[in-house]
Amino acid sequence: MADQQYDYDLFTIGIGSGGTRASRVAAAHGARVAAAEEHRVGGTCVIRGCVPKKMLVYGAQFAEDLEDATKFGWTIEGKSFDWAALRDHVMTDVSRIESVYTDTLEKHDVEIFHEHAEITGDHEITLASGKVVTTDKILIASGARPHISDFPGCEHVITSNDAFHLDEVPGCILILGGGYIANEFAGIFNEFGAKVVIANRSDTILRQYDFALRDRLMQISMTKGIEFLFNLTIERIEKREDGTFAVKMTGVEERTFDLVMAATGRVPNTEGLGLETAGVEVGDRGQIKVDEFSKTNVDYIYAVGDVTDRVQLTPVAIREGQAFADSLFGDGEPYAVDHTCIPSAVFSHPPICSVGLNEREAKDQYGQVKTYTSDFRPMKNVVAGRNERSLIKMICDGANDKILGIHMIGPDAPEIMQAAAVAVKAGMNKADFDATTAIHPTVAEELVLLR
Ligand code: NDP
């Protein structure tokens, strides 16, 4: 293993998804590893992101399922919703997962410091307690945090970090931004009975997704009562004596909300890490610049996950952490993560999911493309009398029918798409899907019946 002149072979700053995977795998390869986390072990995904959010999405879905249940013969008397009960249950489970993460690291003999860590010299880390340690390699996996624009009253705005801890569901909430978090929390709050308004600076939501999915999500969201405002910015927010907020947006009369939440992107956590001391280069979005092996411009310092702002998704950070640890501490050849053809989902109501190129990207890159679409009402919605249609879109290379992208909105779309993503990643053609027998009756069978 590495040079014994240092206290550790690897010191990881930040124990989120990427940092955990890298530390555990490096230790499993025999490295002496320490890791520091100033908040809670698990990072954004486990503590204040994907995991608790998905639990809220499940909780929110019951609003529709209980309503639909009557059409399936059920009588549900006295149904009511208790936000505090759900919130506390979710937070208990988050703590459970946090301890699972901690146990896993400790079982691999990763030494955990629950405090801030900063690079203070060559191969040197100083902890908040004043302890100074040395390490052969440093991995920065400090993640990202919500961005809030600067405007008068911006201090009144909450972020998704706070949304998990609210005392109550707001009667009326304004969500700034039109991306992942805005649409996911719009669905959650709307299902829990809040009046939700989404306000975005541009003229669209979820700009990286195929336009057909965006349109369909907007249509369905509006039918459910979510309001969309576009092309505006916040001029000011004032807190009134009754605790509500007076919000002035460009071109819109002043409106009152119980809560305003910003979901306007996330910025890399690079402050206070000693990057200047170490001479680590940072890009114009504040991200740590790395090469394909996650190495910075400083030979012994690496970075993975959201702090590098390559693709801000947990599974990507995990793959980057794994590749880093295997490449530096394993026996095999170094390898890089393939950042192409990454499937992604938005857990809106209903969810949307994509893998590969959207139609615009496909046309830009391939010129001639063939598009196959299925626009249908899932059986469960038909029986429930829910007028909500799903959409599946497959985009193929016009020259050879190779699948370039698949896009779907509808119940269980992310569960279905994970398997389809294997086929797209493997470079399969439409004919391979056509040759596959359907599983009937399912929503997923539409994928092999596209005409
Ligand atoms: P997104 O990048 O998804 O969306 C940001 C939204 O805010 C866009 O609508 C954008 O407008 C707008 N915006 C961006 N910058 C500003 C600004 N300076 N002022 C005003 N508006 C701005 O960010 P989120 O915060 O929703 O999520 C952050 C990231 O976290 C996501 O990109 C994703 O990678 C990850 N994430 C993934 C989830 C999942 O996998 N299901 C769930 C939640 C988060 P415009 O329309 O102009 O682009």
Side-chain angles (χ1 to χ4, degrees):
M1 196 44 57
D3 202 330
Q4 292 291 326
Q5 65 175 303
Y6 301 114
D7 297 327
Y8 302 103
D9 300 319
L10 170 66
F11 195 104
T12 303
I13 301 179
I15 315 183
S17 301
T20 299
R21 176 59 67 93
S23 302
R24 174 172 70 72
V25 173
H29 284 308
R32 297 165 306 141
V33 183
E37 172 58 59
E38 60 184 320
H39 299 300
R40 291 175 67 182
V41 171
T44 299
C45 173
V46 170
I47 306 296
R48 54 191 167 271
C50 328
V51 169
K53 180 276 310 288
K54 187 72 186 283
M55 293 178 191
L56 294 187
V57 168
Y58 280 130
Q61 186 58 40
F62 279 101
E64 292 184 8
D65 289 347
L66 289 173
E67 202 179 289
D68 294 351
T70 57
K71 290 284 185 356
F72 292 86
W74 292 89
T75 303
I76 297 155
E77 281 165 6
K79 69 176 178 186
S80 65
F81 172 65
D82 182 345
W83 160 255
L86 174 63
R87 178 200 62 200
D88 295 348
H89 190 51
V90 166
M91 283 306 128
T92 302
D93 212 55
V94 163
S95 299
R96 179 188 63 78
I97 302 171
E98 181 184 11
S99 49
V100 170
Y101 269 57
T102 307
D103 286 352
T104 306
L105 288 171
E106 286 175 350
K107 275 192 194 121
H108 282 81
D109 293 326
V110 174
E111 190 171 352
I112 300 176
F113 294 99
H114 296 275
E115 55 189 309
H116 181 76
E118 182 176 344
I119 305 169
T120 44
D122 207 20
H123 296 268
E124 180 191 276
I125 300 264
T126 301
L127 295 153
S129 58
K131 184 180 170 76
V132 178
V133 299
T134 58
T135 177
D136 185 16
K137 301 283 188 291
I138 293 174
L139 177 68
I140 301 170
S142 50
R145 63 180 183 280
H147 159 80
I148 302 181
S149 300
D150 195 19
F151 52 78
C154 63
E155 69 277 11
H156 300 308
V157 170
I158 68 157
T159 69
S160 53
N161 290 352
D162 312 298
F164 299 105
H165 305 284
L166 295 176
D167 291 334
E168 55 189 14
V169 174
C172 182
I173 181 169
L174 173 67
I175 303 180
L176 310 177
Y180 282 82
I181 295 175
N183 284 283
E184 291 180 343
F185 275 92
I188 290 167
F189 285 127
N190 178 62
E191 298 292 335
F192 290 150
K195 162 73 188 162
V196 179
V197 179
I198 285 185
N200 196 21
R201 64 175 179 182
S202 72
D203 61 356
T204 188
I205 57 168
L206 294 164
R207 67 169 59 257
Q208 65 275 48
Y209 281 87
D210 192 275
F211 63 87
L213 264 54
R214 291 191 257 142
D215 268 13
R216 183 59 54 90
L217 178 62
M218 267 193 64
Q219 254 177 41
I220 296 174
S221 298
M222 287 193 291
T223 306
K224 291 182 199 282
I226 296 171
E227 185 182 340
F228 290 86
L229 301 172
F230 290 115
N231 297 312
L232 46 72
T233 52
I234 303 288
E235 288 177 9
R236 61 171 190 279
I237 297 181
E238 281 161 18
K239 186 164 187 178
R240 296 212 178 96
E241 273 183 15
D242 64 0
T244 61
F245 299 97
V247 182
K248 180 71 186 82
M249 295 172 267
T250 47
V252 181
E253 290 290 297
E254 185 175 283
R255 290 181 65 167
T256 302
F257 295 93
D258 296 321
L259 205 57
V260 184
M261 175 170 141
T264 46
R266 296 172 61 82
V267 287
N269 288 324
T270 49
E271 299 80 4
L273 297 177
L275 298 184
E276 307 78 17
T277 309
V280 173
E281 257 185 62
V282 171
D284 53 5
R285 300 184 309 282
Q287 82 281 18
I288 294 182
K289 288 165 100 175
V290 287
D291 68 11
E292 58 184 320
F293 297 105
S294 296
K295 184 152 91 172
T296 69
N297 60 308
V298 179
D299 197 42
Y300 67 94
I301 302 179
Y302 293 72
V304 296
D306 288 359
V307 75
T308 65
D309 202 20
R310 285 175 280 187
V311 181
Q312 288 188 346
L313 294 175
T314 296
V316 177
I318 290 172
R319 290 179 90 87
E320 289 167 359
Q322 176 87 40
F324 159 81
D326 285 343
S327 298
L328 261 77
F329 301 103
D331 295 331
E333 284 295 307
Y335 66 95
V337 172
D338 176 3
H339 286 98
T340 61
C341 204
I342 293 170
S344 63
V346 183
F347 294 95
S348 41
H349 278 82
I352 72 178
C353 198
S354 275
V355 60
L357 304 179
N358 64 38
E359 190 174 340
R360 181 184 47 75
E361 291 167 337
K363 279 182 173 157
D364 285 352
Q365 289 182 37
Y366 288 80
Q368 212 197 346
V369 299
K370 271 196 214 156
T371 301
Y372 304 89
T373 304
S374 176
D375 189 339
F376 60 101
R377 196 146 73 113
M379 182 198 280
K380 187 158 172 258
N381 284 353
V382 175
V383 178
R386 186 170 285 284
N387 191 16
E388 205 176 292
R389 298 182 72 79
S390 296
L391 185 71
I392 295 181
K393 190 168 166 183
M394 181 186 278
I395 295 151
C396 299
D397 185 344
N400 53 20
D401 253 1
K402 183 181 168 203
I403 302 168
L404 303 175
I406 304 182
H407 311 275
M408 178 175 179
I409 176 167
D412 299 326
E415 304 294 342
I416 294 166
M417 194 62 81
Q418 181 67 80
V422 177
V424 180
K425 182 75 180 156
M428 288 189 170
N429 293 330
K430 168 81 167 45
D432 296 309
F433 275 60
D434 294 343
T436 306
T437 305
I439 301 172
H440 183 72
T442 62
V443 166
E445 70 180 312
E446 295 298 325
L447 275 173
V448 295
L449 300 174
L450 289 166
R451 291 288 172 263

